[in-house]
Amino acid sequence: MSTSADAADPGPEPRWLDADERQSWLAFSGMLLTLPGVLDAQLQREADLTLFGYLVMAGLSDARDRTLRMSELSVLTQGSLSRLSHAVAKLERNGWVVRRPCPGNGRVTIATLTDAGLAKLEDAAPGHVEFVRRLVLDPAGREGFAHLGELSRRILGASVDAGCPTVPADGLRPGTAPSDAARSVGR
């Protein structure tokens, strides 16, 4: 039996951010909201690719036979299946990716980076990597960048604990390693 006092109890006080935490949060959230748009604009301007399309192609370039299940690619790129399908359709129209039923399971769709797609990625990667270095790695420094990577893995891990899908900690499908072609584009 509850009492009117129970109904009025709001529960524990929220753990509010102090002034230093608030400043750090504002800087971090500003970076989270700004950086993807800046990276996307650079890729569109210099390579006629979106950041998401580039990430799709880079993920495929790292996979065995440059092929992944769409569901695996969705997790790797942190995009919904709907967003991924839309992006892959555009990449298909350009001849950079092909989709087809999985040979072992026709209910599963796989995506493959074509030779033309790999060439496009290899053409776009140097400018993109240099831009990433200028915007992120250089200001952070090598040690700071390594620390940023570790913090990012922890934050992604907390997201998994909260029920959100995430990229494997090493950024690759389990059991794969980047291809020589992927290494050649600076990833």
Side-chain angles (χ1 to χ4, degrees):
M1 175 179 263
S2 69
T3 66
S4 62
D6 291 336
D9 182 12
E13 181 71 17
R15 297 185 312 153
W16 298 110
L17 303 179
D18 65 30
D20 290 339
E21 290 170 330
R22 192 169 34 258
Q23 288 303 312
S24 292
W25 173 249
L26 289 173
F28 177 72
S29 59
M31 185 268 309
L32 283 177
L33 295 170
T34 303
L35 190 58
V38 172
L39 293 172
D40 191 72
Q42 177 268 329
L43 280 165
Q44 288 191 44
R45 182 177 56 251
E46 294 180 15
D48 195 29
L49 278 172
T50 65
L51 176 59
F52 191 69
Y54 179 91
L55 293 173
V56 167
M57 293 169 67
L60 290 170
S61 78
D62 287 342
R64 182 182 330 275
D65 298 324
R66 298 188 319 234
T67 300
L68 285 172
R69 291 173 175 226
M70 290 289 285
S71 58
E72 292 173 312
L73 193 53
S74 174
V75 171
L76 185 66
T77 59
Q78 292 291 282
S80 68
L81 281 172
S82 174
R83 179 180 186 197
L84 177 63
S85 182
H86 189 56
V88 169
K90 182 176 180 182
L91 295 172
E92 279 185 303
R93 285 192 298 274
N94 287 309
W96 300 329
V97 173
V98 293
R99 278 185 286 193
R100 65 184 182 283
C102 180
N105 182 349
R107 296 176 300 177
V108 173
T109 301
I110 58 174
T112 301
L113 184 66
T114 65
D115 290 343
L118 183 60
K120 177 67 173 178
L121 183 64
E122 289 174 339
D123 185 54
H128 180 63
V129 170
E130 183 54 40
F131 198 62
V132 167
R133 282 190 172 281
R134 194 172 84 218
L135 292 182
V136 183
L137 198 135
D138 292 346
R142 191 168 188 83
E143 190 174 304
F145 191 64
H147 187 63
L148 178 62
E150 176 56 32
L151 289 174
S152 298
R153 284 185 285 281
R154 286 187 204 170
I155 292 167
L156 288 170
S159 297
V160 170
D161 293 345
C164 301
T166 190
V167 178
D170 65 358
L172 301 171
R173 285 188 313 147
T176 66
S179 66
D180 289 337
R183 281 189 215 96
S184 74
V185 294
R187 282 167 285 117

